[in-house]
Amino acid sequence: MTLSFGFDLSLAVLTLAVAGYAIGARESFASVVAFISYGVLLALVWVRLSAVDVALTEAAIGSGVTGALLIGAAAKVGEGAVDAPRSVRGAGRLLTALFCIATTLGIATAFLSLPEKAPTLAPLAAEHLPSTGLGNPVTAVLLSYRAIDTLLESVVLVFAVVGVWTFASDRDWGGRPESPGKDRPEQPLTFLGQILPPLGILVGVHLVWTGATEPGGAFQGGTVLAAAWILVMAAGLRKPPSIEGAWLRFALIGGPALFLGVGVAGFALAKAFLAYPEGHSKAFILVIEAALTFSIAIALGLLALGAPGRKGHP
Amino acid sequence: MTLAIDAFTILCVCGGLFFFLTGAIALLRFPDTLTRLHALTKADSLGLGLIVLGLLPQCDGFLAAAKLILIWAIAQLGGATLSQLIARIAAIENSKP
Amino acid sequence: MNAVTLAGLAGAALIGMGLFGLVTHSHILRKIVAFNVIGSGVFLLFGAVARRGAASGLNADPVPQALVITGIVVAFSATALAVALLLRYFKEVGSPFLADDPGAGASQPDHERP
Amino acid sequence: MIASTLSQLSMRAEDALLPVAIALPVGAMLLALCLGGRWTERIAVAFMPIGVSIAGAVAYVVWRDQRPLVYFIGGWAPPLGVAIRADGVAAAMLLTSALIASAAGLFACDVFRVKPGEKENRAHLGFWTLLLAIWAALNCVFVGWDLFSIYVGLEMLTFAAVPLVCLKGQKETFVAAMRYLLFALLGSVLYLLGATLVYAAYGSLDIGILAQKIQPEAAAWIALGAMTAGLLAKTALFPLHIWLPPAHAGAAPPASAILSALVVKGSFFVVVRLWLTLAPVQMSEAPAELLAILGSVAIFAGSVLALRQERLKLMIAYSTVAQIGYLFLMFPLAIGQHPWASAAWSGGALQAISHAFAKAAMFLSAGLIVDVVGHDRLSGLRGLGRLAPQPVLIFALAGMSLMGLPPSGGFNAKWLLMSASVQSGHWALALVMAVGGLLTAAYLYRVIAPALAPAENAPAESASTPTPKASSRGAALSLALALAAILLGFAPPELASLLAVGAPAATIERIE
């Protein structure tokens, strides 16, 4: 027992150290790089907490796509003027430090004061699992017990895309987001852009398919597909899509719209909003997951590309 | 028999860790980007290769072993491309006066 | 002191660290990174709670885990929005720093007729 | 199996109104984004009557049955599933946000237009999709009965509100939007932290179940404290208000109206849920006093800052900071089974509703004034009454409700709160309200007095250059909102009986 606890302890200490460096690094670029490695370490911690679904999501979205986004921003924004005030100094800094330590101690005492026999919904979730036809309880919670949260979450992604697009300037509207790749990308990047994406699509679809019984699901699969799409654009093989494209808009809202449609159909077919007809719920869930995966991949890709920047360039 | 397999695993994994350790030290000690890059790619390919080799007998079934080798292959692909790109940028930086 | 309590305390520590970074740094990208660290701290806390709730054959409570997955996706959308706003802010203001005194009133756009 | 859970509880057909109130705006928003171009405006305008009628139907059913509407999504009963619930105040807020979002939307038809040559432009698509997004988010927050679903609703609200602030694309609005986003994100992460600890201690996120289980212990105090801190940051209660004035003043008039009247009410409503529905009485007495103190400080600080402003829209934004303070005065009065608790509860709800109508009318009329005189500097408003009579009249009517002059809705709300505070012995709160009303009158006087004064410079310049007239449609809409704020003063008893449905003073009926 002590050996595995020793591993957990060292993993936790390492994760906290890397997070500390991400917060305290001198330059912002170093802080972003440290944040990405922190995200990967955190995925390991999630595996140790026997939450493999969450580990996949943390590695894919938490450190993968977020990391790509932050590195792009760090490169564009840079460190800022050397003489500019970097951070709060003196008394304010000390006061904030004390406040944050007090917050941490408060949360720690709250956590330690929790009842010995932890209240849990696991028995209830396991008991109703057969009726959803799914093997993976997390997917059952996401798409059946608490389906409204997942529906609203996929709608939140669409809100974010609309929000990001409205930050463009008026003359750039209708144009294409700036391509992550340079105009004449290097040879090795193009090679990677041709080799890896087919494998990425295979892994993404597999992730969604096994999500019903094993760890995986629409969000993890969608992220891998989005990563493949971003790589293709970074390798200069494809130009980013124009935001006025009807197909792009339909693909972006297709997943949430289908989910909403099935939910409303639930009134008639299964006597409740977002309920699935008896015995067919697995089929409905898989159809929804497939559509969601495609829309999530498009949404994550568009969010990583950012606001449209170039109007009408060939 | 299992003893021999476990010994083999421990040996390989330790070898892999050794390469990772040397790679990390080299990263801190070497003066410029190109030499650091050289050290890192060694650590990455050899270190990871040995660890994967060591874990192969421990996997239950052929599919798990194939997945491990796939992971190693993707790591090589990524590592090779990245080091090429970084080396290009380093070369351009060095060539500037 | 077992692995689950360790994860909970680590989550609490991450929240404290992230809060410190969010308040003290004036470089907006550092604030966004600090916000993500706070978010991952809260999710780690939720993960520890899930692990404590292991019962009836499941080695963790699936409800908090599903909520954490939803939380990570929402946190990513927030980061994407913040980064896009930062890039436009940088193009307009020229510096990646958020001035501490909001200069209430002074920095108001003069509503000339367009 | 699902049929069995349904039959245990009396799920009536009318309960289905609640999920429809969430699903329809979301669907309309997705359709509007997909079709784009002029279609976004047509879909949004077509959705307005539907949205208002659904909110009206919910309010009618809740009033008729004198029982909150409850709906279990997916047929799963809490604690496993998610329940949504609309009591009297929630139904009233649904109807208020539907009416104000429609009025602000119709006002925006003149502000955001697709120019003849182009198929689609940024601000036009942005405004209409974000308007439907805010409408959906508000419906989610008001009917939310599960802590995590409320969290997702609050995030939807933030993601839809922040881009509205900088939709016009001016430099200062991006500074304001960035500060707003950082405050809002910190707020929602603190709220999520609290929800995590509540689930850790009591194993459920459903407010009805938690209300039976929660006790004053370490985990509960820290959880509710973190959630309240986060929500106060999003509601911009003084000292956490610095992001609000630049954001609300810099936005376009219809956007400012929606932000000030509705968006801040969303997170305020969740604070009410936490301390008056979720927390037991013995736990919420001390925090309620603290919230009232913060509210009083907000009233004074907001009013003083509003008095010192040089620009009209910033003054109105600081007035929002002050009026938010009024909302928090209801907490110590509405607690427990005291006879005055239900009066305080209705008074607080009426204050939120009348402030929403009055503030929306004020921001829209300020927009009309800027259209006429071309600037919003307070010093240059002399003789405005002659140049733009209608906007000044609307501004004055809305001001009446904000000040709490009879017969306005604001007066009705303040009267209920004052009588509750006198009965309950909270003399200080009654004094704060009275002085607050005077301060509100003071900073509004700085606008109305010069406007009605005769313009001393010869009106030569107005003769030569024909001053633009305020758009008649915009004036009619803002007048309707201002009159709504006034007519709330004559509110029929039905409104009081609607607001009383599901009030905490009434016993909490068990859900499962």
Side-chain angles (χ1 to χ4, degrees):
Chain A
M1 174 47 195
T2 56
L3 198 62
S4 84
F5 179 70
F7 173 70
D8 287 327
L9 187 63
S10 48
L11 184 59
V13 166
L14 184 61
T15 311
L16 287 177
V18 174
Y21 181 65
I23 298 288
R26 271 191 321 285
E27 303 118 357
S28 61
F29 196 83
S31 148
V32 166
V33 168
F35 174 74
I36 296 172
S37 42
Y38 158 73
V40 174
L41 282 169
L42 203 57
L44 272 181
V45 172
W46 280 111
V47 171
R48 289 297 298 172
L49 281 173
S50 66
V52 181
D53 290 77
V54 181
L56 283 170
T57 314
E58 173 62 33
I61 299 180
S63 75
V65 186
T66 310
L69 202 66
L70 292 176
I71 276 204
K76 290 197 189 88
V77 163
E79 304 306 326
V82 180
D83 51 6
R86 288 251 163 270
S87 60
V88 173
R89 280 277 168 255
R93 193 180 185 85
L94 188 63
L95 212 62
T96 318
L98 292 177
F99 177 74
C100 295
I101 292 166
T103 316
T104 302
L105 292 180
I107 300 165
T109 43
F111 184 76
L112 295 175
S113 74
L114 292 176
E116 193 42 46
K117 189 190 167 321
T120 172
L121 289 175
L124 215 56
E127 176 200 334
H128 292 304
L129 201 53
S131 78
T132 62
L134 295 171
N136 179 356
V138 175
T139 309
V141 172
L142 277 174
L143 285 160
S144 182
Y145 308 150
R146 298 185 69 103
I148 184 81
D149 288 346
T150 312
L151 169 65
L152 293 181
E153 174 201 352
S154 59
V155 169
V156 157
L157 270 175
V158 177
F159 284 10
V161 170
V162 170
V164 165
W165 283 357
T166 56
F167 294 147
S169 54
D170 280 332
R171 53 182 171 70
D172 291 336
W173 187 255
R176 301 169 184 283
E178 204 187 327
S179 166
K182 299 207 297 294
D183 293 339
R184 337 165 254 78
E186 279 86 2
Q187 229 295 328
L189 193 55
T190 321
F191 173 70
L192 192 71
Q194 285 152 344
I195 295 286
L196 219 49
L199 184 66
I201 292 165
L202 189 68
V203 167
V205 170
H206 170 69
L207 266 176
V208 179
W209 178 254
T210 59
T213 52
E214 299 294 328
F219 292 102
Q220 299 84 343
T223 313
V224 173
L225 295 181
W229 184 30
I230 294 167
L231 178 61
V232 162
M233 284 188 279
L237 300 169
R238 277 286 178 287
K239 283 199 296 302
S242 146
I243 59 165
E244 271 181 341
W247 273 109
L248 181 75
R249 294 271 179 88
F250 181 74
L252 178 62
I253 62 119
L258 179 77
F259 200 167
L260 190 65
V262 168
V264 172
F267 280 122
L269 300 176
K271 284 185 295 303
F273 176 65
L274 279 177
Y276 308 109
E278 281 293 312
H280 302 294
S281 58
K282 176 160 185 179
F284 273 88
I285 286 178
L286 283 180
V287 165
I288 291 174
E289 279 215 288
L292 264 187
T293 306
F294 191 63
S295 289
I296 288 163
I298 300 279
L300 293 178
L302 290 174
L303 287 175
L305 286 174
R310 295 180 322 212
K311 170 84 173 156
H313 286 256
Chain B
M1 180 47 192
T2 55
L3 188 65
I5 292 175
D6 291 350
F8 169 75
T9 303
I10 292 167
L11 202 65
C12 286
V13 169
C14 288
L17 290 182
F18 168 73
F19 276 102
F20 272 112
L21 198 61
T22 48
I25 294 169
L27 175 67
L28 298 174
R29 299 286 299 168
F30 281 169
D32 66 352
T33 318
L34 287 178
T35 45
R36 283 179 173 174
L37 209 55
H38 167 68
L40 275 181
T41 43
K42 287 296 155 301
D44 190 23
S45 54
L46 261 177
L48 190 61
L50 274 175
I51 290 178
V52 164
L53 191 64
L55 293 177
L56 278 186
Q58 305 290 343
C59 319
D60 47 9
F62 171 72
L63 194 60
K67 281 182 190 167
L68 268 180
I69 294 170
L70 183 64
I71 291 170
W72 177 72
I74 297 177
Q76 297 316 305
L77 194 61
T81 319
L82 271 178
S83 45
Q84 274 265 350
L85 296 177
I86 296 173
R88 259 172 225 268
I89 298 168
I92 296 166
E93 293 296 326
N94 297 350
S95 64
K96 282 203 186 82
Chain C
M1 188 51 163
N2 53 33
V4 176
T5 328
L6 188 68
L9 298 181
L14 287 171
I15 294 169
M17 259 192 263
L19 200 58
F20 181 75
L22 183 64
V23 172
T24 51
H25 281 297
S26 44
H27 193 297
I28 297 172
L29 195 62
R30 303 297 295 270
K31 285 181 185 278
I32 296 174
V33 168
F35 161 71
N36 276 287
V37 169
I38 301 175
S40 59
V42 173
F43 296 141
L44 195 56
L45 201 64
F46 224 168
V49 165
R51 185 77 176 90
R52 269 164 48 91
S56 69
L58 301 176
N59 46 27
D61 183 353
V63 172
Q65 291 183 347
L67 300 184
V68 167
I69 291 175
T70 310
I72 290 177
V73 174
V74 167
F76 169 72
S77 317
T79 309
L81 202 69
V83 164
L85 184 53
L86 164 64
L87 293 179
R88 181 65 194 274
Y89 173 98
F90 181 70
K91 203 164 75 162
E92 297 285 335
V93 174
S95 116
F97 296 100
L98 192 62
D100 275 339
D101 58 337
S107 68
Q108 252 314 297
D110 192 3
H111 281 272
E112 291 315 322
R113 206 171 305 143
Chain D
M1 199 297 302
I2 293 170
S4 67
T5 44
L6 284 187
S7 61
Q8 283 153 9
L9 39 100
S10 59
M11 287 273 275
R12 300 157 305 169
E14 298 91 345
D15 285 329
L17 277 171
L18 289 187
V20 166
I22 294 179
L24 269 184
V26 169
M29 183 262 175
L30 293 177
L31 188 65
L33 176 62
C34 181
L35 297 179
R38 286 180 176 70
W39 276 103
T40 50
E41 184 170 344
R42 293 188 192 117
I43 291 169
V45 172
F47 173 75
M48 287 174 190
I50 303 168
V52 170
S53 51
I54 291 173
V58 167
Y60 172 69
V61 169
V62 168
W63 169 73
R64 185 194 64 194
D65 301 346
Q66 286 297 308
R67 208 168 69 82
L69 283 176
V70 182
Y71 192 87
F72 296 155
I73 293 187
W76 301 104
L80 189 60
V82 172
I84 48 178
R85 178 177 187 263
D87 56 9
V89 172
M93 291 305 288
L94 279 179
L95 191 55
T96 311
S97 50
L99 289 171
I100 293 179
S102 307
L106 291 176
F107 184 95
C109 290
D110 310 333
V111 178
F112 297 105
R113 270 195 302 274
V114 180
K115 301 176 185 58
E118 56 189 7
K119 184 167 97 61
E120 181 187 74
N121 79 44
R122 177 186 64 83
H124 180 268
L125 176 97
F127 179 81
W128 290 110
T129 40
L130 293 174
L131 175 72
L132 289 169
I134 283 189
W135 199 331
L138 283 170
N139 286 0
C140 285
V141 170
F142 288 135
V143 300
W145 195 243
D146 177 280
L147 292 181
F148 192 80
S149 297
I150 292 177
Y151 165 73
V152 179
L154 288 172
E155 289 287 84
M156 282 164 78
L157 201 55
T158 304
F159 290 175
V162 166
L164 264 187
V165 167
C166 48
L167 204 54
K168 301 280 271 188
Q170 285 146 342
K171 170 176 143 171
E172 297 75 17
T173 54
F174 287 106
V175 179
M178 178 54 89
R179 200 182 302 279
Y180 177 17
L181 183 60
L182 290 174
F183 261 88
L185 292 182
L186 177 61
S188 31
V189 121
L190 286 175
Y191 175 87
L192 190 60
L193 169 63
T196 307
L197 290 174
V198 162
Y199 182 86
Y202 302 105
S204 167
L205 289 165
D206 184 79
I207 292 179
I209 295 169
L210 286 173
Q212 327 283 324
K213 288 186 175 177
I214 213 160
Q215 268 94 27
E217 51 195 2
W221 281 113
I222 291 168
L224 286 178
M227 292 167 96
T228 309
L231 290 167
L232 293 190
K234 291 167 92 73
T235 319
L237 181 66
F238 190 84
L240 298 169
H241 68 291
I242 47 174
W243 61 266
L244 186 140
H248 288 197
S256 308
I258 294 172
L259 287 167
S260 251
L262 299 177
V263 173
V264 278
K265 299 292 186 312
S267 34
F268 163 72
F269 188 77
V270 182
V271 179
V272 170
R273 276 275 186 257
L274 284 188
W275 289 108
L276 294 182
T277 312
L278 180 69
V281 175
Q282 72 269 22
M283 209 176 152
S284 47
E285 255 135 10
E289 299 291 342
L290 179 65
L291 285 175
I293 292 166
L294 280 178
S296 316
V297 170
I299 292 175
F300 291 121
S303 304
V304 165
L305 286 170
L307 271 170
R308 284 183 44 240
Q309 290 312 316
E310 280 317 307
R311 318 195 72 95
L312 177 60
K313 293 180 89 171
L314 255 176
M315 189 202 75
I316 303 175
Y318 274 103
S319 149
T320 304
V321 171
Q323 294 294 323
I324 286 172
Y326 267 101
L327 299 178
F328 283 89
L329 298 187
M330 77 183 247
F331 282 93
L333 309 171
I335 284 182
Q337 308 297 340
H338 311 296
W340 57 78
S342 59
W345 171 265
S346 307
L350 206 56
Q351 166 69 14
I353 294 166
S354 60
H355 172 261
F357 280 111
K359 191 49 61 79
M362 202 172 253
F363 260 122
L364 293 184
S365 62
L368 295 177
I369 290 172
V370 168
D371 290 347
V372 168
V373 294
H375 64 78
D376 77 334
R377 289 187 303 279
L378 283 176
S379 51
L381 294 185
R382 195 152 187 77
L384 185 67
R386 209 170 32 69
L387 280 171
Q390 285 164 337
V392 171
L393 169 67
I394 296 159
F395 191 92
L397 281 175
M400 254 177 70
S401 178
L402 281 186
M403 294 180 224
L405 291 180
S408 68
F411 168 75
N412 206 343
K414 289 185 177 67
W415 176 259
L416 284 166
L417 285 172
M418 268 185 162
S419 61
S421 55
V422 166
Q423 281 171 24
S424 67
H426 283 80
W427 293 95
L429 292 188
L431 189 65
V432 161
M433 279 186 244
V435 172
L438 290 178
L439 285 171
T440 313
Y443 62 72
L444 292 182
Y445 178 80
R446 282 186 67 214
V447 177
I448 297 166
L452 301 183
E456 79 278 7
N457 49 22
E461 47 86 19
S462 68
S464 58
T465 59
T467 55
K469 277 200 36 55
S471 85
S472 56
R473 182 218 313 241
L477 285 166
S478 38
L479 183 62
L481 289 174
L483 286 179
I486 300 292
L487 290 180
L488 278 170
F490 306 94
E494 285 77 5
L495 178 62
S497 74
L498 168 68
L499 294 179
V501 173
T507 57
I508 295 267
E509 90 282 277
R510 293 178 56 79
I511 287 276
E512 77 277 36

